[in-house]
Amino acid sequence: MSKAEFRVLEGLVNAVEVDAVIVNLFEGVTGPGGATGAIDKSLGGAISRVIAEGELTGKAGEAVLLHSNAKIPAPRVIVVGLGQAEKFDYEGVRRAAAVGIKRAREAGASRVATIVHGAGIGGLDPVKSARVMVEGTLMSLYSFKEFKSKNDDKKVINEVILVESDRSKIEPIIEGARQGRILAEAVNLARDLGNRPGNKKTPAMFAVQAEEAARQHDIEVEVLDLQKIKALGMGALIGVACGTCNEPRLVTLKHLKGPKDGEILALVGKGLTFDSGGISLKPSEAMHEMKFDMCGGAAVIAAMTAIAQLGVQVNVIGVVPMVENLPGSTAQRPGDIVTAMNGKTIEVINTDAEGRLILADAIGYAQKLGANKIVDVATLTGACVIALGHVCSGLITNNQEWADQVKAAAEIAGERVWQLPAFPEYKK
């Protein structure tokens, strides 16, 4: 994960001694104002000239680099496009931050100063703007290098300075940056967990990785081994684990900071550390990607670390069933019948339908722990990707009021969801 440090500075961005400064421009603007206008004036109208020449349009995703020629302390100026002003929102801030910092890294900058997109002329809340700025910056700088034999990447961002001239916005921006760092590091933790190969995150290894993340943030954690899983009668989960020598685990993380008699939210995440499909073997072409079949579980673990660090005053538990699905000689067969911990029997027609089996027992365990509301996060079926592509996740519910709350939260987080129908005819 990126180790870039963030700090907030009261002052003018054109006076900061760094390797590059980042400012912005709305689409269609021909005479830049605000901080961009101040930089333009310091550079003798250089930004206005590239606008007039058509090299800078302000479209979203655009990043134009100019050299200051010693007219300001920073040798490089990067102008990022914000798109149309009337459509600009927090997701636009997040994306602009990502585009700008990537361009700065490509140029070899190590220390970067940037204005907080949206907090000035954009009219957006400075806390939220700073939060998504840091999110976009850190998530865009992410790279997974844990198993590289040689790390020769010399282009590294070490420091990002958020510059603001309005003193009244300094404290809100500091708070927003704090929140953004927590959330972005949680996202990047989930990425790290997902990117590890199956031989480096067997269920036992994955459980240890979850324990380490939990203890680092003072989260209560419980790990159930095979013996305890059997004692709970989790036949659906055990059935999936039968074909491998790597025994399953069930990890529970608890953040009980709400009222003692208040409702408990459960986040349940699928933790297939590797999914071959079992006896119903998957095609070999993209099977290596099945190391990612635990990303629902990774998301839950990461979310719990963020919840703990933000000090959210709610009762939340995270439940992650961790299993490997292989076609060993003891694997369950198509046609086998297993019994979940709630007593319901399940006929297994296809052993590659393993996710719903382990999640059935995990959801049952969450209910046993007193959960009133459950969000189940899973890479469950490729059919959802066929339906919705990679732009959003499918949402299925039996409680519309609860679904509306989840959709609203997803919108704030910049994680799109699309509700799919749950008509009675689909139940079978």
Side-chain angles (χ1 to χ4, degrees):
M1 292 190 286
S2 172
K3 299 299 182 183
E5 294 298 323
F6 284 82
R7 64 185 176 98
V8 179
L9 176 68
E10 181 185 348
L12 301 174
V13 73
N14 58 350
V16 185
E17 292 188 20
V18 286
D19 301 318
V21 297
I22 301 173
V23 290
N24 58 45
L25 189 76
F26 280 114
E27 187 173 352
V29 172
T30 56
T36 309
I39 292 277
D40 187 39
K41 186 176 180 180
S42 297
L43 300 185
I47 296 176
S48 294
R49 283 195 295 275
V50 293
I51 293 173
E53 291 166 3
E55 295 179 45
L56 175 61
T57 66
K59 288 183 178 179
E62 183 179 62
V64 174
L65 184 145
L66 303 172
H67 293 278
S68 70
N69 297 317
K71 292 178 180 177
I72 60 173
R76 306 173 188 87
V77 174
I78 297 167
V79 187
V80 297
L82 302 181
Q84 298 174 20
E86 60 272 18
K87 294 181 179 180
F88 190 63
D89 57 11
Y90 294 109
E91 182 61 20
V93 175
R94 188 183 283 111
R95 291 178 183 275
V99 168
I101 203 69
K102 281 183 177 180
R103 188 68 185 89
R105 183 174 62 180
E106 288 168 5
S110 173
R111 298 179 64 246
V112 178
T114 178
I115 60 174
V116 180
H117 308 312
I121 297 173
L124 299 179
D125 178 77
V127 175
K128 293 178 182 178
S129 294
R131 189 192 78 215
V132 296
M133 278 277 298
V134 175
E135 287 175 10
T137 299
L138 281 179
M139 288 191 286
S140 69
L141 292 175
Y142 174 82
S143 63
F144 185 67
K145 299 175 181 175
E146 188 173 327
F147 300 102
K148 291 243 184 190
S149 56
K150 183 180 180 183
N151 182 11
D152 55 2
D153 185 4
K154 294 181 173 60
K155 294 184 177 181
V156 178
I157 301 291
N158 290 315
E159 184 181 31
V160 179
I161 304 170
L162 305 182
V163 183
E164 175 56 54
S165 60
D166 185 343
R167 179 168 292 182
S168 67
K169 293 179 182 177
I170 294 297
E171 288 303 319
I173 289 172
I174 290 173
E175 173 58 19
R178 182 188 75 87
Q179 295 176 14
R181 173 127 216 168
I182 290 169
L183 293 168
E185 288 184 345
V187 170
N188 288 344
L189 168 63
R191 289 168 164 176
D192 278 347
L193 293 171
N195 279 322
R196 288 177 182 142
N199 65 324
K200 299 298 183 182
K201 62 175 178 202
T202 63
M205 291 176 180
F206 192 19
V208 169
Q209 291 160 11
E211 284 183 291
E212 288 173 352
R215 287 177 179 145
Q216 186 177 347
H217 302 293
D218 198 27
I219 302 168
E220 182 183 345
V221 59
E222 173 191 55
V223 179
L224 303 184
D225 60 15
L226 178 58
Q227 186 176 353
K228 292 176 181 176
I229 290 169
K230 283 181 176 177
L232 286 165
M234 294 184 173
L237 189 155
I238 292 168
V240 176
C242 282
T244 174
C245 62
N246 290 310
E247 294 184 355
R249 296 289 188 270
L250 184 76
V251 173
T252 304
L253 304 100
K254 296 180 181 179
H255 175 87
L256 304 176
K257 303 297 183 181
K260 289 190 176 180
D261 57 348
E263 69 178 20
I264 298 175
L265 164 64
L267 306 177
V268 178
K270 179 182 173 185
L272 254 296
T273 59
F274 189 82
D275 179 24
S276 71
I279 296 293
S280 306
L281 198 66
K282 293 177 180 289
S284 61
E285 183 181 352
M287 196 189 289
H288 63 281
E289 294 182 357
M290 290 302 101
K291 68 178 184 179
F292 294 119
D293 214 10
M294 39 57 69
C295 283
V300 167
I301 294 164
M304 292 300 293
T305 67
I307 288 167
Q309 290 178 84
L310 291 169
V312 183
Q313 299 299 297
V314 291
N315 297 316
V316 188
I317 59 174
V319 181
V320 183
M322 300 176 175
V323 185
E324 190 174 63
N325 186 24
L326 293 182
S329 60
T330 55
Q332 69 179 353
R333 297 152 289 254
D336 282 1
I337 294 174
V338 296
T339 304
M341 74 172 291
N342 65 357
K344 188 175 288 291
T345 54
I346 304 164
E347 184 180 15
V348 180
I349 302 299
N350 186 317
T351 64
D352 194 25
E354 84 302 321
R356 65 207 71 183
L357 294 175
I358 71 169
L359 287 166
D361 277 336
I363 289 170
Y365 191 63
Q367 290 176 307
K368 179 182 173 68
L369 294 177
N372 311 102
K373 292 180 177 177
I374 298 174
V375 176
D376 174 341
V377 188
T379 47
L380 195 60
T381 167
C384 197
V385 178
I386 293 170
L388 301 175
H390 296 279
V391 176
C392 63
S393 300
L395 184 153
I396 303 172
T397 182
N398 61 358
N399 184 325
Q400 191 57 49
E401 183 182 353
W402 176 223
D404 290 341
Q405 291 180 50
V406 172
K407 284 192 286 186
E411 190 69 28
I412 293 169
E415 295 278 357
R416 294 190 181 107
V417 298
W418 189 266
Q419 188 167 343
L420 296 171
F423 301 129
E425 291 84 352
Y426 288 134
K427 189 167 185 179
K428 184 178 178 180

